[in-house]
Amino acid sequence: MGCGKIGLLVIWVSSVLCLACCSGSQDDYLIDCGSTTNTSVAGRVFLADTSSYLSTPEKLLANTATKSDSSSDDLPLYQTARIFTGTSKYTFSVGSNRRYWIRLYFFPFVYDTYNMSTANFSVSTQNHVLISNFSPKAGSAMKEFSENVTSDTLVITFAPSSNSFAFLNALEVVSVPNELISDDAITITPSGKFKGLVTQALETVARVNMGGPTVTSENDTLWRTWLPDQNFLVENNLATNVSKIGAVIYAKGGPTKLIAPASVYGTATKMNSDANPQYNFNVTWEFDVDPGFQYLVRYHFCDIVSISLNQLYFNVYLDSYLVYEELDLSTLAFNILGAPYYLDVVTGTRVGSKLRVSIGPSSIHTEYPDAILNGLEIMKMNSSMGSLSGSVIVSNPSSKKNVAVVIGASVGVFAALILAGVFFLVYRRRRKLARQGHSKTWMAFSTNGGNSHTMGSKYSNGTIASAGSNFGYRIPFLAVQEATNNFDESWVIGIGGFGKVYKGTLNDGTKVAVKRGNPRSQQGLAEFQTEIEMLSQFRHRHLVSLIGYCDEKNEMILIYEYMENGTVKSHLYGSGLPSLDWKERLEICIGAARGLHYLHTGYAKAVIHRDVKSANILLDENLMAKVADFGLSKTGPEIDQTHVSTAVKGSFGYLDPEYFRRQQLTEKSDVYSFGVVLFEVLCARPVIDPTLPREMVNLAEWAMKWQKRGQLEQIIDPNLVGKIRPDSLRKFGETAEKCLSDFGVDRPSMGDILWNLEYALQLQEAVLVGDPEENSTNLIGELAPQVNNFNHADTSVSAAQFEVSSVDDLSGISMSREG
Ligand SMILES: *[C@@H]1O[C@H](CO)[C@@H](O)[C@H](O)[C@H]1NC(C)=O
Ligand SMILES: *[C@@H]1O[C@H](CO)[C@@H](O)[C@H](O)[C@H]1NC(C)=O
Ligand SMILES: *[C@@H]1O[C@H](CO)[C@@H](O)[C@H](O)[C@H]1NC(C)=O
Ligand SMILES: *[C@@H]1O[C@H](CO)[C@@H](O)[C@H](O)[C@H]1NC(C)=O
Ligand SMILES: *[C@@H]1O[C@H](CO)[C@@H](O)[C@H](O)[C@H]1NC(C)=O
Ligand SMILES: *[C@@H]1O[C@H](CO)[C@@H](O)[C@H](O)[C@H]1NC(C)=O
Ligand SMILES: *[C@@H]1O[C@H](CO)[C@@H](O)[C@H](O)[C@H]1NC(C)=O
Ligand SMILES: *[C@@H]1O[C@H](CO)[C@@H](O)[C@H](O)[C@H]1NC(C)=O
């Protein structure tokens, strides 16, 4: 009994304290425009509209208007208005370099000869246009903006359009706590980071309390209003409500009540799993946005649905892009169930007028399939011209086949994006993501054509672009030059048919690999375009990411994330790098298989890589494998079943003989090549080594011979001798063997291969965990076999010579036979 009362008292005291401290803040201004009396709303006092803050060209140009027919459900603030018939300014003294909310209340009514529904005006501050050519619709509207004010005064200017007038019912200028907008966010760049939020002017487009009722300004910690999500849900029946406000625990170091109140974090919309036991669906919300702007999307999460930690894993999408894979609130929220967490995501410049936010179940952790969202805020970001307004014409692409247009169209970008993406990538997210999720995030870098005032720049040529699969940044040549120390020869890390690959550092510190194509090579150009298109559409942890490209001055430059550990091939032979152990090799194969599996299945049409080889599998600093080099990729097999392929492409030693014979391209050609890679990884020798005795030259043939005899252990990498568990090797050998089946139909899918490799890994690990004694007695190749005594050191020299003509790789020869 006493407890409840004390609790209430505490809440009451703290809210009184809060009101006292916040509304009393010296530089907060609440004005009830046009009113001669102070107006109290939800415990806050809006001051009478004396003209002390207002300057107008002539006093009379700012009329005060009082509504004649006030109905009871109108806010008191809407009873009066101030009408501006000429440009007028409100000037407030504020703290500089602080963020302020500017809330403008509009409720048009008719006063004298002024029909406010016909008003048409613009509102701006010193640095930003907030609204332009605005005509408030009937009914009330509150528009909320925030900006970081750089001087010690904030001047808000109301400018009527010609032959019209402006009006305002109420005005709030309220300081925003510093913690509310941090400088960085996840974005769609490969580095996943957006920097520079603190300088952005923002307009609140949506603020939603998922799974709960409206949270009114008086119940919010900062007088925000949170609307229920019902009207935004795309399919109501897929979602259900949870409410457990008491379960919210604001953890130290995490979001505070100021970020969002418990009434927001304590309710959620989740997957309606009861109605759909298959669990295989997303919950989606849709919002109206203005094309031509970027948006900051803040996802609020709080695990109020799990019974214990580490139950809930789900995916978070923006449009069709995976923003966060396997979001694990337990880890992100300090291992405290019910601790809030939020995720800031910056979108690309929008093309369409709908923004979709989805959550869906994990495809890996399937024990407790569920997904939740507790709150969502969508904030429009100012354009490169500092404006939050302005109409942008979105054009549809012309279908010209002009090369420059095609490239531009597939990746055309605006200055803002370039600036944002390339020059602002500097900083780390303050709240470091505990998992690697941010590095696998990608969203649409949608592009846009048309009215250039939001996108003009010396870098952007305003290329018209199609909606949909447009990603990547066009990077100015100057920036590429800087990054590579003007293509310093000593920074070259690879050479191939396509050109040279340089190591580089963007001026934000991001390490990159810069591939500079030889000019005017027609094949190179086709591959350049394919690569951009492919890498722009496919985002995956196990596919190497494209950071940008440059096609200025006839250049064909591709800029990738830098892969610290180079190619898998270099770790196998010929480079003197330390040998990888069996577990590392298995994990690399599994990673690459995941990447290929995603290519084959992750999209409506399968994509065939066509040049799978150990030199096209790269390793990051943690030896995580990523598939690279999509220059030859094709969607298929539909395309090539109807039309006979015009060219057989790939690399010697990896090429699917069936594809070579029949010129019919399917995913199974990649599977064949991958099988060769598996043997290469096991045996650590070049796939073609002409220095060896004839029957040994071709690794695929040689290894298959031993595999069929059941004596694969005879030819494995000497470094692995005695270190592979027989079961693991058997599984691995069988898998590779199946990949090399003569006929594509007999080869497994990448999914099967993935499964088998994981199994091989388990078999390997089982021995270490299970029976340590077995280690020494039951491992492969105790008697060092004679057969594998070919000379590893010697082969590298000839192999390197042999490879000069390859595309950009340092391995098997790429070949191309036009048919
Ligand atoms: C409105 O409130 C302010 C301060 O709270 C006070 O100084 C002012 O006199 C009041 N004005 C009217 C018209 O009551
Ligand atoms: C405002 O911007 C300046 C840089 O222009 C920055 O130093 C400051 O921290 C920002 N303030 C807030 C509250 O974001
Ligand atoms: C005010 O203007 C609106 C929009 O033009 C119009 O629909 C409405 O009838 C007008 N009201 C009056 C009283 O003239
Ligand atoms: C406001 O006036 C401008 C021209 O002065 C016009 O282009 C614009 O369409 C008008 N806006 C509305 C909402 O009527
Ligand atoms: C969810 O909550 C909202 C607001 O409280 C309510 O209107 C809606 O009917 C609820 N939906 C379900 C499925 O319970
Ligand atoms: C504020 O919250 C309390 C309890 O959470 C609720 O009883 C009250 O109705 C809310 N007030 C408004 C205006 O929503
Ligand atoms: C969820 O939405 C994403 C993005 O649109 C899509 O890729 C994914 O397949 C969807 N998942 C399910 C289970 O429908
Ligand atoms: C927003 O305006 C600021 C200047 O106030 C500018 O630095 C920034 O680049 C603009 N944002 C975008 C996305 O262009």
Side-chain angles (χ1 to χ4, degrees):
M1 38 143 214
C3 268
K5 275 197 184 137
I6 289 168
L8 279 181
L9 185 68
V10 168
I11 289 168
W12 182 80
V13 167
S14 58
S15 56
V16 165
L17 284 177
C18 176
L19 290 181
C21 78
C22 301
S23 59
S25 180
Q26 279 228 310
D27 46 12
D28 285 358
Y29 301 91
L30 312 180
I31 297 176
D32 184 6
C33 300
S35 172
T36 51
T37 58
N38 290 344
T39 307
S40 177
V41 177
R44 295 196 298 163
V45 177
F46 283 70
L47 296 184
D49 189 9
T50 64
S51 42
S52 47
Y53 302 115
L54 182 65
S55 68
T56 57
E58 284 173 48
K59 265 254 147 72
L60 272 180
L61 290 178
N63 295 338
T64 58
T66 307
K67 221 169 147 242
S68 50
D69 56 333
S70 60
S71 58
S72 58
D73 57 340
D74 296 345
L75 261 182
L77 294 176
Y78 294 142
Q79 304 306 316
T80 58
R82 187 172 277 276
I83 291 168
F84 311 99
T85 50
T87 300
S88 309
K89 295 174 195 296
Y90 278 100
T91 305
F92 303 102
S93 79
V94 294
S96 71
N97 283 327
R98 288 180 59 192
R99 182 171 287 272
Y100 285 84
W101 267 312
I102 299 168
R103 294 184 178 129
L104 306 175
Y105 294 79
F106 300 106
F107 185 88
F109 57 89
V110 178
Y111 171 79
D112 196 15
T113 57
Y114 300 106
N115 180 349
M116 294 181 203
S117 300
T118 66
N120 182 332
F121 56 97
S122 302
V123 184
S124 55
T125 63
Q126 296 104 305
N127 295 325
H128 299 284
V129 177
L130 305 182
I131 310 178
S132 57
N133 296 332
F134 172 65
S135 197
K137 304 228 167 59
S140 62
M142 194 272 280
K143 284 183 163 281
E144 181 183 276
F145 306 89
S146 78
E147 78 169 68
N148 181 340
V149 181
T150 49
S151 67
D152 54 10
T153 54
L154 172 64
V155 181
I156 305 174
T157 304
F158 287 78
S161 307
S162 54
N163 298 323
S164 191
F165 63 96
F167 77 96
L168 184 65
N169 299 83
L171 170 66
E172 284 184 43
V173 171
V174 177
S175 62
V176 175
N178 284 342
E179 65 183 276
L180 214 65
I181 303 291
S182 51
D183 201 43
D184 25 29
I186 285 181
T187 188
I188 7 184
T189 67
S191 77
K193 294 166 223 153
F194 181 89
K195 169 73 187 169
L197 275 180
V198 294
T199 61
Q200 295 293 314
L202 303 169
E203 177 182 354
T204 308
V205 174
R207 182 175 283 136
V208 184
N209 176 26
M210 268 63 193
T214 304
V215 175
T216 57
S217 57
E218 56 232 77
N219 268 359
D220 180 67
T221 40
L222 294 167
W223 300 289
R224 292 162 298 201
T225 301
W226 304 75
L227 298 176
D229 65 326
Q230 245 68 32
N231 295 337
F232 303 104
L233 269 172
V234 173
E235 283 184 83
N236 285 52
N237 59 322
L238 294 181
T240 184
N241 287 349
V242 240
S243 178
K244 254 194 223 167
I245 293 173
V248 180
I249 297 165
Y250 287 95
K252 198 155 180 266
T256 66
K257 288 190 171 83
L258 296 179
I259 299 292
S263 44
V264 171
Y265 278 123
T267 66
T269 293
K270 66 188 276 298
M271 289 171 62
N272 185 5
S273 322
D274 304 337
N276 296 273
Q278 264 79 48
Y279 300 116
N280 205 12
F281 59 93
N282 293 332
V283 177
T284 300
W285 296 263
E286 195 173 79
F287 301 88
D288 290 329
V289 294
D290 289 338
F293 291 88
Q294 284 180 271
Y295 288 82
L296 169 63
V297 180
R298 176 169 289 182
Y299 298 79
H300 294 275
F301 300 106
C302 182
D303 187 354
I304 53 168
V305 298
S306 295
I307 296 157
S308 63
L309 287 167
N310 301 109
Q311 277 187 5
L312 181 67
Y313 297 85
F314 56 98
N315 292 340
V316 180
Y317 305 91
L318 202 151
D319 300 321
S320 52
Y321 303 99
L322 187 54
V323 171
Y324 207 116
E325 191 179 7
E326 303 294 315
L327 186 90
D328 167 15
L329 288 176
S330 299
T331 309
L332 294 170
F334 312 101
N335 283 309
I336 298 172
L337 213 53
Y341 175 76
Y342 73 88
L343 188 63
D344 279 348
V345 180
V346 170
T347 72
T349 304
R350 308 297 303 181
V351 175
S353 59
K354 298 281 180 203
L355 188 153
R356 279 176 164 238
V357 163
S358 309
I359 50 170
S362 156
S363 50
I364 297 163
H365 295 88
T366 47
E367 310 90 82
Y368 300 93
D370 203 352
I372 64 167
L373 186 60
N374 304 62
L376 187 77
E377 291 172 274
I378 301 178
M379 288 167 262
K380 189 195 229 180
M381 290 164 52
N382 67 258
S383 68
S384 56
M385 308 298 284
S387 176
L388 282 165
S389 188
S391 51
V392 176
I393 300 149
V394 179
S395 319
N396 280 323
S398 68
S399 51
K400 270 189 222 156
K401 276 290 172 255
N402 175 315
V403 159
V405 170
V406 171
I407 295 175
S410 57
V411 236
V413 219
F414 303 140
L417 310 191
I418 295 168
L419 287 173
V422 179
F423 301 112
F424 286 171
L425 293 178
V426 197
Y427 304 78
R428 292 261 158 92
R429 244 164 105 58
R430 215 174 278 155
R431 289 162 296 106
K432 250 195 182 171
L433 297 172
R435 302 183 58 166
Q436 255 202 313
H438 61 296
S439 65
K440 15 170 179 163
T441 60
W442 271 87
M443 276 175 298
F445 240 64
S446 355
T447 56
N448 201 334
N451 191 328
S452 63
H453 85 274
T454 57
M455 52 190 98
S457 144
K458 60 178 174 169
Y459 297 144
S460 159
N461 60 7
T463 320
I464 309 291
S466 66
S469 58
N470 306 309
F471 304 82
Y473 296 110
R474 177 177 282 156
I475 292 179
F477 186 67
L478 215 66
V480 185
Q481 269 180 313
E482 253 172 55
T484 55
N485 199 20
N486 198 15
F487 302 100
D488 191 330
E489 286 301 306
S490 66
W491 291 24
V492 171
I493 50 174
I495 304 177
F498 180 87
K500 288 179 179 166
V501 184
Y502 300 80
K503 183 176 170 161
T505 310
L506 296 179
N507 62 4
D508 64 8
T510 309
K511 277 193 189 171
V512 292
V514 176
K515 185 156 119 183
R516 188 185 195 190
N518 294 329
R520 289 176 220 290
S521 135
Q522 208 48 46
Q523 171 175 353
L525 182 61
E527 288 176 14
F528 179 64
Q529 290 171 259
T530 311
E531 180 107 19
I532 295 174
E533 278 162 23
M534 290 296 165
L535 280 176
S536 299
Q537 287 173 61
F538 299 96
R539 302 289 159 205
H540 191 270
R541 184 153 49 137
H542 293 288
L543 301 182
V544 79
S545 303
L546 185 69
I547 288 181
Y549 72 101
C550 171
D551 60 354
E552 265 171 55
K553 305 180 182 166
N554 286 327
E555 290 282 351
M556 296 188 292
I557 297 173
L558 295 163
I559 297 130
Y560 304 91
E561 63 178 313
Y562 183 69
M563 298 290 284
E564 200 73 45
N565 275 311
T567 67
V568 167
K569 187 184 176 203
S570 69
H571 289 262
L572 294 175
Y573 49 88
S575 67
L577 290 173
S579 164
L580 299 168
D581 68 27
W582 182 235
K583 185 168 170 256
E584 284 169 333
R585 294 189 204 198
L586 280 174
E587 278 166 352
I588 287 166
C589 292
I590 289 169
R594 275 191 212 286
L596 290 171
H597 177 57
Y598 172 77
L599 275 185
H600 289 175
T601 61
Y603 191 59
K605 254 185 215 151
V607 169
I608 301 164
H609 185 284
R610 296 216 293 172
D611 204 10
V612 174
K613 55 183 173 184
S614 59
N616 280 342
I617 301 170
L618 304 182
L619 299 174
D620 74 2
E621 67 276 17
N622 302 317
L623 292 179
M624 184 164 91
K626 300 192 186 207
V627 178
D629 215 330
F630 295 78
L632 300 180
S633 307
K634 271 209 161 148
T635 51
E638 301 95 302
I639 294 170
D640 292 89
Q641 271 168 353
T642 47
H643 316 109
V644 169
S645 174
T646 51
V648 170
K649 288 181 175 163
S651 295
F652 283 123
Y654 295 94
L655 198 63
D656 170 13
E658 188 184 42
Y659 169 46
F660 197 76
R661 276 195 311 272
R662 303 178 51 197
Q663 300 194 21
Q664 205 176 71
L665 191 64
T666 72
E667 303 94 294
K668 295 299 176 67
S669 300
D670 283 351
V671 168
Y672 183 93
S673 308
F674 189 72
V676 180
V677 171
L678 292 181
F679 280 131
E680 197 182 356
V681 165
L682 180 68
C683 305
R685 53 151 281 188
V687 294
I688 302 276
D689 187 345
T691 64
L692 292 173
R694 196 172 155 65
E695 77 274 18
M696 292 173 69
V697 169
N698 185 320
L699 171 63
E701 283 172 20
W702 180 240
M704 282 294 271
K705 190 183 272 177
W706 288 94
Q707 166 64 19
K708 285 190 169 138
R709 281 186 207 160
Q711 293 181 320
L712 192 57
E713 69 275 11
Q714 300 289 314
I715 61 161
I716 66 173
D717 180 357
N719 290 311
L720 295 175
V721 167
K723 292 173 185 150
I724 309 180
R725 166 94 172 137
D727 288 345
S728 179
L729 180 69
R730 195 175 309 120
K731 192 84 221 160
F732 189 86
E734 284 167 12
T735 308
E737 180 184 5
K738 284 191 199 127
C739 292
L740 297 191
S741 302
D742 285 340
F743 298 101
V745 289
D746 300 329
R747 297 175 201 149
S749 69
M750 282 315 302
D752 292 338
I753 295 166
L754 187 53
W755 190 90
N756 278 291
L757 291 175
E758 278 173 342
Y759 190 51
L761 179 61
Q762 278 174 22
L763 290 172
Q764 176 69 14
E765 293 195 312
V767 75
L768 301 173
V769 179
D771 186 359
E773 278 181 22
E774 264 193 301
N775 266 342
S776 54
T777 55
N778 219 358
L779 290 166
I780 299 293
E782 284 296 295
L783 310 166
Q786 294 304 300
V787 205
N788 62 13
N789 270 352
F790 45 75
N791 189 330
H792 286 263
D794 285 352
T795 57
S796 62
V797 178
S798 55
Q801 288 166 355
F802 207 44
E803 282 162 11
V804 173
S805 66
S806 66
V807 169
D808 74 9
D809 58 9
L810 314 158
S811 105
I813 317 97
S814 285
M815 53 80 69
S816 164
R817 194 192 75 183
E818 297 302 321

